[in-house]
Amino acid sequence: MSNSKLSVKEGNMPNKNQVATENIDKGRRRFGKAGVATPILMTLASQPAFGWGGGMQCLSNMMSGNLSDPNRGDCDLGWSPGGWCHPVGQINGMDTISAWTSAGFDYGVYNPVGTGCSPQNSNKPDCYTGGSTISMMPAGINADGFSGDTTLREIICKTAGGGSDTRHCITAYLNASLPGINYILTQQQVIDLCNGTIPVPGGISLRSFLDTTWQ
């Protein structure tokens, strides 16, 4: 092979600097194309369950979508059925019975006459009598059709593990009625979820959804 032919072929071969530059340019083009979709995908993937994170998002914001404005209104988790049941517990910085009163309902009156009840056993829900009944709740909360004279305390405290939608609906309504917190659901949203007007978000059961709205 002549030197002239060899020199022509060598002249057509890119040098190391050209190869490096082309690789960088190709990498930039690939990154640029990926960058169009990546922020959206990362935003979607980073959304916590139901759009709630450190600052809880309200149901109305979640239902309307939050990608355009993820900071629209923060809401608070409420208290569980167990929290509202325990008569000497704490709810939002006050004792449980006072929290019931603040929410507009009556837990009941301590009665030490019952079996196992005495002044030192005021922490037992069974030692209380009277109190607000399910008939005092808005229509739609009584999803399981309890008798109208059944107390809210009985439903919350005695149906644990029994799969009662009413128990969860009462709890959610108490949270929505409690001053001083901005619960994830409004009173009307609780009613609408419990009577089926609003579909349960996430395609899960009503109880499973409400479980995510309290501490």
Side-chain angles (χ1 to χ4, degrees):
M1 183 179 294
S2 67
N3 289 337
S4 60
K5 290 183 179 180
L6 180 61
S7 62
V8 171
K9 289 185 177 181
E10 287 177 345
N12 290 335
M13 294 177 63
N15 59 39
K16 293 181 179 179
N17 290 336
Q18 288 176 315
V19 172
T21 301
E22 288 178 2
N23 287 339
I24 291 172
D25 289 340
K26 289 178 181 178
R28 285 174 176 168
R29 286 195 295 272
R30 285 195 299 269
F31 180 79
K33 291 178 181 179
V36 174
T38 298
I40 297 176
L41 294 175
M42 289 179 66
T43 301
L44 288 170
S46 65
Q47 297 297 314
F50 301 115
W52 303 333
M56 303 298 109
Q57 192 169 30
C58 306
L59 177 65
S60 56
N61 292 339
M62 180 188 67
M63 293 177 68
S64 63
N66 65 2
L67 282 179
S68 60
D69 187 0
N71 296 315
R72 286 182 300 167
D74 287 339
C75 281
D76 305 314
L77 291 173
W79 281 261
S80 68
W84 284 99
C85 170
H86 191 48
V88 294
Q90 287 282 311
I91 290 180
N92 200 33
M94 65 186 86
D95 64 84
T96 303
I97 294 177
S98 295
W100 277 69
T101 302
S102 183
F105 297 92
D106 180 17
Y107 182 89
V109 178
Y110 178 65
N111 181 8
V113 176
T115 303
C117 297
S118 63
Q120 64 266 29
N121 284 330
S122 59
N123 62 331
K124 293 183 177 181
D126 288 343
C127 296
Y128 289 76
T129 58
S132 298
T133 63
I134 188 62
S135 63
M136 299 175 184
M137 279 277 171
I141 297 297
N142 190 7
D144 299 314
F146 282 92
S147 172
D149 60 356
T150 308
T151 66
L152 303 180
R153 180 189 67 259
E154 289 178 284
I155 297 173
I156 287 182
C157 297
K158 293 186 177 182
T159 59
S164 170
D165 283 351
T166 301
R167 177 177 186 254
H168 276 56
C169 290
I170 291 171
T171 301
Y173 196 83
L174 288 171
N175 284 317
S177 303
L178 185 64
I181 71 166
N182 188 25
Y183 182 51
I184 290 168
L185 308 172
T186 65
Q187 290 175 324
Q188 189 60 51
Q189 286 171 339
V190 173
I191 295 169
D192 291 344
L193 278 170
C194 292
N195 68 18
T197 301
I198 295 177
V200 179
I204 59 178
S205 71
L206 176 62
R207 292 193 301 275
S208 295
F209 171 74
L210 291 177
D211 280 339
T212 70
T213 71
W214 42 62
Q215 304 174 31

